[in-house]
Structure formats: C-alpha cells, structure tokens
Amino acid sequence: MKKQTLLIALGGNALIRKGQEGSVKEQFENLKIPIRQIARLSEKYKIIITHGNGPQVGNLLLQQECCDAVPKLPLEILVAQTQGQIGYMIESTLDSALMDLGIDSKHHFVSLITYVVVDENDPGFQNPSKPIGPVYTKEQAKLVPYPTRKTAKGYRRVVVSPEPVTVVEKNEIRKLIDMGFIVICCGGGGIPVIREERSFHGVDAVIDKDLVSAKLAEEVGVDIFIIATDVDGAFLNYGKPEQKLLCSVTSEEAALYSDQGHFPPGSMKPKIEAVMRFFTRNHGKRAVITSVEAIEDAVAGKAGTEIVNRHIRNTSESQKK
C-alpha cells in the first residue's frame, strides 16, 4: 500500500518544558519523547517534521541585548540559526531512535533550511502579535525595551507575524518525502522573505509555525496533520474548574468557540486556525491537536482534538472516553 504522508508540528515544549532553564541536555532529553514515537510511525507513514523556535530565538535576542561587542543580527538570521540548531538536535535524536528500534538502515532524513514568502503589504507588519522568548511577570514586562502582550502563559515579547503565502522549497520537500526521506523543515515558521521580481530578501518578522505547517501541508499534499503541544488538546474554559477537552469538533463549532474567546491568542487560537485551514483545503484528510506524549495515539484516533468539516460529531469522541 502507498504510505500516507504525516506532518507533525512540534511545539516549543518538545524541547523546553515549563520550569526548565532550557539547557542543551534538557532539550535532548525532552526530544526523546516525540522522536521515538515519530521513529515508530515512520514504518507506516511518510514523515514531515516542523518545529517551533520561540524559546531559542528569544534566547538569541537576549544574548544580543547583553553584548555590544559584535554587530546585532536581524531576526531573519536568528530564525535561520535556530533552524540549523534545532534541526541538528532532531536529526541526532531521530538517528539514535531509529537505530534503537532496528530500522536505521531503512530510512534517511534531512534538515532543510526553509524560506517562506510573505506579502510586504500584510497588515501584520503594522501590528506586532507573535509571542517569542521567555515569559515575564506583569512587572517585568514593564521594564523590557520592546512590546509585550499577555498570553495564557504570562507576558511575552511580541514581534511582527505576517501570513505565509507559500513555502519556497515545497517542490524539494515533496520530492524528498517521495524518495523516502524524513524531512525536517519550516523551523520556527520558516525564514520570512519578500519576493522582488525573481529574487527574495529577508524581513524582520516571525511567521507562526502552525500556520506555515498548514500551508506546507496544503502545498505538498499531506494526509494527516498533527500539532503536538503541551496540553491534551483544545479545551473549553481552559484553566477553569469546568474546563472540557474537545475530542471531536466541527470546523463551524471551532470557529464559534474561537469567537467566544475559548482559545487564547498566541497559544491555542493559531493552532485551531491552522487545523481549520488544513481541513478546508484538504477535503477528507485528518487534523488533530494533541500533547507531545500522545502523538501515536492521536494518529490512531485515540487522543487529542480532531477537527472535522461536518455538522455531526465524529463517533470517535465516544470511543475515546
């Protein structure tokens, strides 16, 4: 049988957990949880891995602020640096996992530095909205020299976040997965670039990783789209005594809940938007938001929040209970 293509978008918590300082040792240890699952899934699926970079690029920005001895680097270069950094960490962890499972000789993998085209007239350039870097208290946020916004986790720095138009390397990615490569790409949402005739130039922005992942899924023909994060899925009334996990929800219901404020900006809201875009542009395919620990179960329909494009809930909700 022809293998289906599975895109797994790893959140920042796949590398750095809440309360950790984010040492390299911690990040490698944390990666073992999703990567061993991905290694097992690679026996049955073609695999694309995308990943966030918020903590890593935020740390690079902090390092720049602490040192005036070398020229400051623009955000596009810092995104490129984290693509290489995290790509290496995922590759090396994946290599070990494949060897441990005895399937190292059957698979190849590659990390791809990825550009993403944005529109220079995107209104996002007028409204910094993408959270990156560490979490601050309200008092700390008043002291930092850049705009911040309150998120579900606390106050964080926000930067410009335009919409993704197209992934420049989509054809290369499609060819690589068809050749059997596990492809690691679109790290941190990709390097944002603006097209000028036949060339590109980078811009000082960060594109949302989940929205880019949905765009890539559309452009290369992904069958299953998994967003792996630090919660079990999308909740109603998250953080309140009456919180409720949505096991299966229609795109219409998800839009309504989003309008009602159940999905905070900068955390769950862009994930909901991403899976809704994926489903409406890939009819009959699957999209699930789940925890990093439950990637395999989400693929099997046993965990997470699945978005469907019909008015009758999928019977999988009752099966999961």
Side-chain angles (χ1 to χ4, degrees):
M1 289 181 61
K2 181 181 177 181
K3 287 185 176 181
Q4 291 185 309
T5 301
L6 170 62
L7 190 156
I8 301 170
L10 297 176
N13 69 301
L15 287 95
I16 302 177
R17 296 302 183 102
K18 186 176 181 180
Q20 293 183 334
E21 65 175 14
S23 69
V24 170
K25 182 178 180 181
E26 286 175 338
Q27 293 185 59
F28 271 117
E29 192 65 29
N30 293 336
L31 273 175
K32 292 179 182 179
I33 296 172
I35 296 303
R36 284 192 66 85
Q37 297 177 77
I38 292 171
R40 288 190 290 264
L41 287 166
S42 69
E43 294 262 71
K44 298 180 180 179
Y45 298 92
K46 300 176 184 178
I47 302 285
I48 301 172
I49 303 170
T50 63
H51 60 84
N53 71 342
Q56 292 79 12
V57 78
N59 287 342
L60 290 177
L61 287 166
L62 287 173
Q63 289 174 351
Q64 288 198 150
E65 293 169 6
C66 296
C67 178
D68 295 321
V70 294
K72 300 291 190 292
L73 297 175
L75 195 52
E76 66 188 272
I77 300 300
L78 300 184
V79 172
Q81 288 182 347
T82 59
Q83 282 192 6
Q85 169 193 343
I86 300 172
Y88 157 71
M89 298 179 78
I90 292 175
E91 273 198 15
S92 58
T93 306
L94 179 60
D95 191 24
S96 297
L98 290 170
M99 287 192 291
D100 289 345
L101 295 169
I103 54 178
D104 56 301
S105 62
K106 302 177 184 178
H107 294 78
H108 304 282
F109 45 85
V110 62
S111 295
L112 191 65
I113 300 297
T114 317
Y115 307 160
V116 176
V117 176
V118 299
D119 184 349
E120 62 182 331
N121 297 314
D122 190 298
F125 284 105
Q126 308 301 320
N127 179 34
S129 62
K130 176 64 177 176
I132 64 170
V135 176
Y136 299 105
T137 64
K138 185 176 182 179
E139 291 70 27
Q140 290 172 327
K142 294 177 180 178
L143 303 176
V144 296
Y146 36 72
T148 61
R149 179 172 295 180
K150 187 177 182 180
T151 71
K153 298 180 180 180
Y155 287 84
R156 300 181 70 190
R157 179 177 182 172
V158 288
V159 297
V160 170
S161 183
E163 286 274 328
V165 174
T166 185
V167 178
V168 175
E169 292 82 7
K170 55 184 177 293
N171 293 329
E172 290 84 349
I173 293 168
R174 189 185 303 113
K175 290 178 181 178
L176 286 167
I177 59 174
D178 286 343
M179 292 168 62
F181 282 86
I182 299 172
V183 181
I184 304 157
C185 59
C186 293
I191 303 167
V193 296
I194 290 175
R195 188 186 297 274
E196 288 186 344
E197 297 180 351
R198 298 185 64 182
S199 63
F200 301 100
H201 72 82
V203 292
D204 207 39
V206 169
I207 312 171
D208 184 87
K209 172 264 303 177
D210 296 315
L211 297 183
V212 169
S213 298
K215 173 59 67 174
L216 178 64
E218 172 195 346
E219 294 185 323
V220 304
V222 165
D223 298 289
I224 305 173
F225 178 27
I226 303 292
I227 295 181
T229 184
D230 57 355
V231 292
D232 292 334
F235 287 80
L236 298 182
N237 301 307
Y238 181 69
K240 300 178 181 179
E242 65 272 24
Q243 74 175 24
K244 176 185 176 182
L245 174 66
L246 297 170
C247 294
S248 181
V249 60
T250 67
S251 56
E252 293 84 357
E253 289 169 332
L256 176 62
Y257 293 144
S258 183
D259 290 342
Q260 292 173 346
H262 286 285
F263 310 131
S267 57
M268 188 54 64
K269 187 171 183 177
K271 294 174 174 55
I272 291 291
E273 291 178 356
V275 294
M276 289 174 62
R277 292 185 191 189
F278 166 77
F279 196 89
T280 56
R281 297 171 184 176
N282 294 268
H283 299 290
K285 309 297 177 70
R286 297 182 56 222
V288 189
I289 301 171
T290 191
S291 68
V292 168
E293 292 82 4
I295 293 172
E296 286 178 287
D297 284 343
V299 173
K302 299 177 181 179
T305 299
E306 183 159 355
I307 308 293
V308 295
N309 196 23
R310 56 181 181 269
H311 296 286
I312 300 176
R313 280 189 190 278
N314 193 301
T315 55
S316 63
E317 178 170 359
S318 59
Q319 295 172 352
K320 293 176 187 176
K321 290 184 177 179

